[in-house]
Amino acid sequence: MKELISIVVPCFNEEEALTYFYEEINKIREQLKEVNFEYLFVDDGSKDKTLDKLRALNKKDKRVRYISFSRNFGKEAAMYAGLENAKGDYVAIMDADLQDPPSLLPEMYNYLKNEDYDVVATRRVTRKGEPVIRSFFARMFYKIINKMSKVEMVDGARDYRLMKRKVVNAIINLKEYNRYSKGLFSFVGFNTKWLEYENIKRVAGETKWSFWKLFLYALDGITAFSVVPLAISSIMGLLFCLIAFIMIIVIICKTLIWGDPVSGWPSLVCIIFLVSGVQLFCIGILSGYLSKTYLETKNRPIYIIKETELER
Ligand code: UDP
Ligand code: MG
Protein backbone atom coordinates (compact mmCIF):
# COMPACT_ATOMS: atom_id res chain seq x y z
CA MET A 1 0.00 0.00 0.00
CA LYS A 2 1.10 3.55 -0.68
CA GLU A 3 2.21 5.66 2.21
CA LEU A 4 0.25 8.76 3.20
CA ILE A 5 1.58 12.29 3.60
CA SER A 6 -0.63 14.70 5.56
CA ILE A 7 -0.18 18.39 4.91
CA VAL A 8 -1.33 20.42 7.89
CA VAL A 9 -2.18 24.02 7.02
CA PRO A 10 -3.17 26.54 9.70
CA CYS A 11 -5.39 29.20 8.12
CA PHE A 12 -6.53 32.44 9.64
CA ASN A 13 -8.30 34.74 7.20
CA GLU A 14 -6.60 33.18 4.19
CA GLU A 15 -9.46 33.14 1.66
CA GLU A 16 -7.28 34.76 -0.98
CA ALA A 17 -4.21 32.62 -0.45
CA LEU A 18 -6.06 29.29 -0.27
CA THR A 19 -6.74 29.00 -3.99
CA TYR A 20 -3.09 29.58 -4.89
CA PHE A 21 -2.01 27.19 -2.19
CA TYR A 22 -4.29 24.42 -3.35
CA GLU A 23 -3.06 24.79 -6.93
CA GLU A 24 0.59 24.73 -5.93
CA ILE A 25 0.28 21.75 -3.65
CA ASN A 26 -1.56 19.80 -6.32
CA LYS A 27 1.36 20.34 -8.68
CA ILE A 28 3.65 18.79 -6.11
CA ARG A 29 1.26 15.91 -5.57
CA GLU A 30 1.57 15.09 -9.22
CA GLN A 31 5.34 14.96 -8.93
CA LEU A 32 5.19 12.64 -5.94
CA LYS A 33 3.13 9.86 -7.41
CA GLU A 34 4.48 7.15 -5.12
CA VAL A 35 2.60 8.49 -2.07
CA ASN A 36 -0.97 9.45 -1.25
CA PHE A 37 -1.77 12.90 0.05
CA GLU A 38 -4.26 14.36 2.47
CA TYR A 39 -4.59 18.09 3.08
CA LEU A 40 -5.74 19.00 6.54
CA PHE A 41 -6.70 22.65 6.70
CA VAL A 42 -7.25 24.09 10.16
CA ASP A 43 -9.44 27.17 10.05
CA ASP A 44 -8.43 29.13 13.12
CA GLY A 45 -11.67 31.07 13.59
CA SER A 46 -11.36 33.09 10.39
CA LYS A 47 -13.67 36.04 9.95
CA ASP A 48 -13.63 35.92 6.14
CA LYS A 49 -14.74 33.26 3.66
CA THR A 50 -11.97 30.79 4.51
CA LEU A 51 -14.41 28.18 5.85
CA ASP A 52 -16.68 28.43 2.80
CA LYS A 53 -13.65 27.91 0.60
CA LEU A 54 -12.64 24.84 2.58
CA ARG A 55 -16.14 23.36 2.35
CA ALA A 56 -16.08 23.87 -1.40
CA LEU A 57 -12.61 22.31 -1.75
CA ASN A 58 -13.71 19.33 0.34
CA LYS A 59 -16.74 18.79 -1.87
CA LYS A 60 -14.59 18.80 -4.98
CA ASP A 61 -11.62 16.85 -3.65
CA LYS A 62 -11.91 14.22 -0.93
CA ARG A 63 -8.23 14.61 -0.15
CA VAL A 64 -9.12 17.93 1.45
CA ARG A 65 -10.07 17.64 5.10
CA TYR A 66 -10.70 20.53 7.40
CA ILE A 67 -11.22 21.46 11.01
CA SER A 68 -12.83 24.74 11.93
CA PHE A 69 -12.28 26.26 15.37
CA SER A 70 -15.04 27.97 17.33
CA ARG A 71 -12.85 31.09 17.55
CA ASN A 72 -9.28 32.22 16.91
CA PHE A 73 -7.04 30.07 19.12
CA GLY A 74 -3.74 31.04 17.51
CA LYS A 75 -1.37 29.29 15.12
CA GLU A 76 0.10 27.09 17.84
CA ALA A 77 -3.32 25.63 18.64
CA ALA A 78 -4.04 25.21 14.93
CA MET A 79 -0.80 23.29 14.40
CA TYR A 80 -1.54 21.08 17.39
CA ALA A 81 -5.05 20.30 16.14
CA GLY A 82 -3.59 19.47 12.74
CA LEU A 83 -0.95 17.13 14.14
CA GLU A 84 -3.48 15.46 16.42
CA ASN A 85 -5.92 14.77 13.61
CA ALA A 86 -3.55 13.99 10.75
CA LYS A 87 -3.58 10.36 9.67
CA GLY A 88 -0.43 10.29 7.56
CA ASP A 89 2.73 8.22 7.96
CA TYR A 90 4.43 11.54 7.31
CA VAL A 91 3.11 14.91 8.37
CA ALA A 92 4.12 18.31 7.00
CA ILE A 93 3.21 21.66 8.50
CA MET A 94 2.92 24.47 6.00
CA ASP A 95 1.65 28.07 5.97
CA ALA A 96 -1.25 28.88 3.69
CA ASP A 97 0.47 31.93 2.22
CA LEU A 98 3.06 29.95 0.18
CA GLN A 99 5.91 31.45 2.19
CA ASP A 100 6.83 27.83 2.78
CA PRO A 101 7.64 26.61 -0.73
CA PRO A 102 5.80 23.31 -1.44
CA SER A 103 8.45 22.63 -4.08
CA LEU A 104 10.76 21.48 -1.28
CA LEU A 105 8.46 18.59 -0.37
CA PRO A 106 9.83 15.95 -2.77
CA GLU A 107 13.35 16.65 -1.52
CA MET A 108 12.17 16.46 2.09
CA TYR A 109 10.38 13.19 1.44
CA ASN A 110 13.52 11.74 -0.16
CA TYR A 111 15.61 12.54 2.90
CA LEU A 112 13.16 10.74 5.19
CA LYS A 113 12.72 7.82 2.86
CA ASN A 114 16.30 7.14 1.82
CA GLU A 115 18.45 8.56 4.55
CA ASP A 116 18.63 8.19 8.28
CA TYR A 117 16.57 11.24 9.18
CA ASP A 118 13.31 11.50 11.13
CA VAL A 119 12.56 15.16 10.51
CA VAL A 120 13.37 17.56 7.72
CA ALA A 121 13.06 21.11 8.99
CA THR A 122 13.57 24.41 7.21
CA ARG A 123 15.15 27.70 8.09
CA ARG A 124 15.33 30.87 6.13
CA VAL A 125 18.75 32.37 5.80
CA THR A 126 17.63 35.89 4.94
CA ARG A 127 15.01 38.14 6.42
CA LYS A 128 14.57 40.12 3.24
CA GLY A 129 11.34 42.07 2.97
CA GLU A 130 11.01 42.32 6.73
CA PRO A 131 11.26 45.59 8.70
CA VAL A 132 14.83 46.19 9.88
CA ILE A 133 13.87 46.68 13.52
CA ARG A 134 11.97 43.43 13.52
CA SER A 135 14.98 41.52 12.17
CA PHE A 136 17.19 43.15 14.78
CA PHE A 137 14.95 42.14 17.67
CA ALA A 138 14.50 38.66 16.24
CA ARG A 139 18.27 38.16 16.18
CA MET A 140 18.59 39.50 19.74
CA PHE A 141 15.86 37.14 20.86
CA TYR A 142 17.61 34.06 19.48
CA LYS A 143 20.89 35.12 21.06
CA ILE A 144 19.27 35.61 24.45
CA ILE A 145 17.09 32.51 24.50
CA ASN A 146 19.91 30.24 23.38
CA LYS A 147 22.02 31.51 26.29
CA MET A 148 19.17 30.89 28.71
CA SER A 149 17.73 27.60 27.54
CA LYS A 150 19.14 24.11 27.23
CA VAL A 151 16.84 23.45 24.28
CA GLU A 152 18.42 24.88 21.15
CA MET A 153 16.35 27.39 19.17
CA VAL A 154 17.55 27.78 15.59
CA ASP A 155 17.57 31.36 14.27
CA GLY A 156 15.27 31.67 11.30
CA ALA A 157 13.69 28.26 11.81
CA ARG A 158 10.26 28.06 10.24
CA ASP A 159 7.41 25.85 11.31
CA TYR A 160 7.61 24.27 7.84
CA ARG A 161 8.79 20.68 8.30
CA LEU A 162 8.11 17.10 7.30
CA MET A 163 8.08 14.56 10.12
CA LYS A 164 7.79 10.83 10.51
CA ARG A 165 4.86 9.43 12.48
CA LYS A 166 6.96 8.73 15.60
CA VAL A 167 8.02 12.38 15.80
CA VAL A 168 4.44 13.55 15.40
CA ASN A 169 3.36 11.22 18.20
CA ALA A 170 6.09 12.58 20.44
CA ILE A 171 4.90 16.14 19.82
CA ILE A 172 1.23 15.30 20.36
CA ASN A 173 2.22 13.82 23.70
CA LEU A 174 3.41 17.23 24.87
CA LYS A 175 0.01 18.47 25.93
CA GLU A 176 0.99 21.77 27.48
CA TYR A 177 -1.37 24.69 27.09
CA ASN A 178 1.31 27.34 26.52
CA ARG A 179 2.71 25.97 23.31
CA TYR A 180 5.92 27.28 21.82
CA SER A 181 6.44 24.95 18.90
CA LYS A 182 9.95 26.02 17.93
CA GLY A 183 11.01 24.85 21.36
CA LEU A 184 8.80 21.76 21.40
CA PHE A 185 10.23 20.62 18.07
CA SER A 186 13.79 20.74 19.36
CA PHE A 187 12.72 19.38 22.74
CA VAL A 188 11.59 16.07 21.22
CA GLY A 189 14.91 15.68 19.45
CA PHE A 190 15.29 13.06 16.66
CA ASN A 191 17.64 13.21 13.66
CA THR A 192 16.92 16.48 11.95
CA LYS A 193 18.01 17.58 8.50
CA TRP A 194 17.94 21.35 7.99
CA LEU A 195 17.14 22.80 4.60
CA GLU A 196 17.79 26.46 3.95
CA TYR A 197 15.98 28.88 1.72
CA GLU A 198 15.57 32.58 1.12
CA ASN A 199 12.66 34.50 2.57
CA ILE A 200 9.66 34.62 0.23
CA LYS A 201 6.88 37.22 0.31
CA ARG A 202 3.35 35.95 0.98
CA VAL A 203 1.20 35.50 -2.15
CA ALA A 204 -1.86 37.28 -0.81
CA GLY A 205 -3.30 38.75 2.37
CA GLU A 206 -1.32 40.22 5.24
CA THR A 207 0.84 38.93 8.05
CA LYS A 208 -1.09 38.36 11.29
CA TRP A 209 1.89 39.17 13.46
CA SER A 210 2.23 42.67 14.79
CA PHE A 211 5.43 43.66 16.54
CA TRP A 212 3.66 43.54 19.90
CA LYS A 213 2.26 40.06 19.25
CA LEU A 214 5.75 38.86 18.33
CA PHE A 215 7.20 40.44 21.46
CA LEU A 216 4.69 38.64 23.70
CA TYR A 217 5.34 35.41 21.77
CA ALA A 218 9.06 35.84 22.46
CA LEU A 219 8.35 36.18 26.19
CA ASP A 220 6.20 33.04 25.99
CA GLY A 221 9.14 31.25 24.47
CA ILE A 222 11.44 32.34 27.26
CA THR A 223 9.09 31.37 30.10
CA ALA A 224 8.29 28.08 28.40
CA PHE A 225 11.88 26.97 27.97
CA SER A 226 13.99 28.67 30.60
CA VAL A 227 13.90 29.43 34.31
CA VAL A 228 16.98 31.62 34.11
CA PRO A 229 14.97 34.86 34.68
CA LEU A 230 14.00 33.48 38.11
CA ALA A 231 17.65 32.90 38.94
CA ILE A 232 18.51 36.40 37.71
CA SER A 233 16.01 37.91 40.13
CA SER A 234 17.51 35.96 43.05
CA ILE A 235 21.03 37.03 42.08
CA MET A 236 19.89 40.63 41.76
CA GLY A 237 18.40 40.38 45.28
CA LEU A 238 21.67 39.07 46.68
CA LEU A 239 23.66 41.76 44.90
CA PHE A 240 21.48 44.50 46.34
CA CYS A 241 21.80 43.03 49.86
CA LEU A 242 25.58 43.07 49.45
CA ILE A 243 25.59 46.70 48.32
CA ALA A 244 23.32 47.65 51.24
CA PHE A 245 25.62 45.85 53.70
CA ILE A 246 28.70 47.68 52.43
CA MET A 247 26.85 50.99 52.57
CA ILE A 248 25.80 50.36 56.19
CA ILE A 249 29.40 49.73 57.24
CA VAL A 250 30.64 52.81 55.37
CA ILE A 251 28.00 55.02 56.98
CA ILE A 252 28.64 53.66 60.49
CA CYS A 253 32.39 54.26 60.09
CA LYS A 254 31.87 57.75 58.71
CA THR A 255 29.58 58.65 61.60
CA LEU A 256 31.96 57.25 64.24
CA ILE A 257 35.08 58.88 62.78
CA TRP A 258 33.80 62.24 61.52
CA GLY A 259 30.44 62.42 63.26
CA ASP A 260 28.72 63.29 59.99
CA PRO A 261 25.41 65.09 60.40
CA VAL A 262 22.31 63.59 58.78
CA SER A 263 22.17 64.60 55.13
CA GLY A 264 21.49 63.37 51.65
CA TRP A 265 17.77 62.76 51.38
CA PRO A 266 17.87 63.18 47.55
CA SER A 267 20.17 60.18 47.30
CA LEU A 268 17.86 58.31 49.65
CA VAL A 269 14.88 58.95 47.39
CA CYS A 270 16.85 57.74 44.40
CA ILE A 271 17.81 54.57 46.23
CA ILE A 272 14.21 53.92 47.28
CA PHE A 273 13.06 54.32 43.69
CA LEU A 274 15.79 52.07 42.33
CA VAL A 275 15.29 49.33 44.86
CA SER A 276 11.51 49.31 44.64
CA GLY A 277 11.82 49.29 40.85
CA VAL A 278 14.04 46.24 41.01
CA GLN A 279 11.61 44.59 43.40
CA LEU A 280 8.64 45.18 41.12
CA PHE A 281 10.65 43.90 38.18
CA CYS A 282 11.43 40.69 40.02
CA ILE A 283 7.82 40.27 41.09
CA GLY A 284 6.94 40.74 37.42
CA ILE A 285 9.25 37.91 36.40
CA LEU A 286 7.77 35.72 39.11
CA SER A 287 4.22 36.50 38.07
CA GLY A 288 5.12 35.65 34.48
CA TYR A 289 5.84 32.10 35.55
CA LEU A 290 2.96 32.03 38.02
CA SER A 291 0.41 33.04 35.39
CA LYS A 292 1.69 30.33 33.03
CA THR A 293 1.40 27.77 35.82
CA TYR A 294 -2.11 29.06 36.59
CA LEU A 295 -3.26 28.64 32.99
CA GLU A 296 -1.62 25.24 32.78
CA THR A 297 -3.37 23.93 35.91
CA LYS A 298 -6.78 24.88 34.58
CA ASN A 299 -6.38 22.16 32.00
CA ARG A 300 -8.43 23.96 29.42
CA PRO A 301 -8.58 22.44 25.95
CA ILE A 302 -6.02 23.82 23.48
CA TYR A 303 -8.73 24.26 20.84
CA ILE A 304 -12.49 23.78 20.37
CA ILE A 305 -13.89 22.42 17.12
CA LYS A 306 -16.95 24.03 15.56
CA GLU A 307 -17.10 21.98 12.40
CA THR A 308 -15.12 19.34 10.51
CA GLU A 309 -15.51 17.67 7.15
CA LEU A 310 -16.80 14.53 8.90
CA GLU A 311 -20.09 16.19 9.77
CA ARG A 312 -20.96 16.81 6.18
N1 UDP B 1 -2.26 31.72 11.47
C1 UDP B 1 -3.20 31.04 12.24
N2 UDP B 1 -3.72 31.66 13.35
C2 UDP B 1 -3.32 32.90 13.76
C3 UDP B 1 -2.34 33.56 12.98
C4 UDP B 1 -1.83 32.94 11.85
O1 UDP B 1 -3.58 29.92 11.92
O2 UDP B 1 -3.83 33.39 14.75
C5 UDP B 1 -1.72 31.06 10.26
C6 UDP B 1 -1.81 31.90 8.99
O3 UDP B 1 -3.04 31.71 8.34
C7 UDP B 1 -0.65 31.37 8.15
C8 UDP B 1 0.37 31.00 9.22
O4 UDP B 1 -0.34 30.87 10.45
O5 UDP B 1 -1.00 30.22 7.42
C9 UDP B 1 1.49 32.03 9.33
O6 UDP B 1 0.94 33.30 9.55
P1 UDP B 1 1.53 34.62 8.89
O7 UDP B 1 1.81 34.37 7.43
O8 UDP B 1 0.61 35.73 9.22
O9 UDP B 1 2.88 34.77 9.69
P2 UDP B 1 4.32 35.14 9.08
O10 UDP B 1 4.54 34.25 7.89
O11 UDP B 1 4.24 36.57 8.71
O12 UDP B 1 5.25 34.85 10.21
MG1 MG C 1 3.43 34.12 6.32
Side-chain angles (χ1 to χ4, degrees), residues 19-78:
T19 327
Y20 300 110
F21 180 83
Y22 180 70
E23 273 170 24
E24 283 301 311
I25 200 80
N26 268 339
K27 281 184 206 153
I28 300 303
R29 179 172 55 80
E30 266 151 37
Q31 285 176 32
L32 263 174
K33 285 235 184 320
E34 67 267 34
V35 276
N36 286 329
F37 271 77
E38 88 173 349
Y39 313 136
L40 179 51
F41 293 93
V42 185
D43 164 37
D44 185 12
S46 299
K47 295 259 183 316
D48 63 358
K49 299 253 177 344
T50 301
L51 181 55
D52 292 340
K53 269 242 158 82
L54 293 179
R55 285 183 189 131
L57 283 176
N58 168 251
K59 229 178 210 159
K60 178 168 98 174
D61 181 353
K62 284 300 161 221
R63 275 180 288 257
V64 175
R65 299 173 55 206
Y66 67 87
I67 293 171
S68 180
F69 286 176
S70 57
R71 66 170 169 84
N72 180 248
F73 280 86
K75 188 185 177 188
E76 292 289 341

Side-chain angles (χ1 to χ4, degrees), residues 204-230:
E206 270 168 26
T207 175
K208 276 91 198 171
W209 293 91
S210 62
F211 186 79
W212 181 237
K213 252 177 134 178
L214 276 175
F215 180 72
L216 294 180
Y217 186 58
L219 291 186
D220 277 352
I222 293 176
T223 43
F225 282 93
S226 168
V227 286
V228 169
L230 290 173

Side-chain angles (χ1 to χ4, degrees), residues 9-14 17 42-46 50 69 72-79 94-100 124 130 134 158-159 182 199-200 202 204-209 213-214:
V9 190
C11 311
F12 178 48
N13 297 339
E14 299 283 8
V42 185
D43 164 37
D44 185 12
S46 299
T50 301
F69 286 176
N72 180 248
F73 280 86
K75 188 185 177 188
E76 292 289 341
M79 289 196 292
M94 217 182 266
D95 285 2
D97 55 10
L98 287 177
Q99 271 184 314
D100 301 332
R124 46 180 188 174
E130 201 185 56
R134 183 176 291 199
R158 308 264 317 161
D159 293 326
K182 281 193 178 64
N199 197 22
I200 301 164
R202 41 161 58 240
E206 270 168 26
T207 175
K208 276 91 198 171
W209 293 91
K213 252 177 134 178
L214 276 175

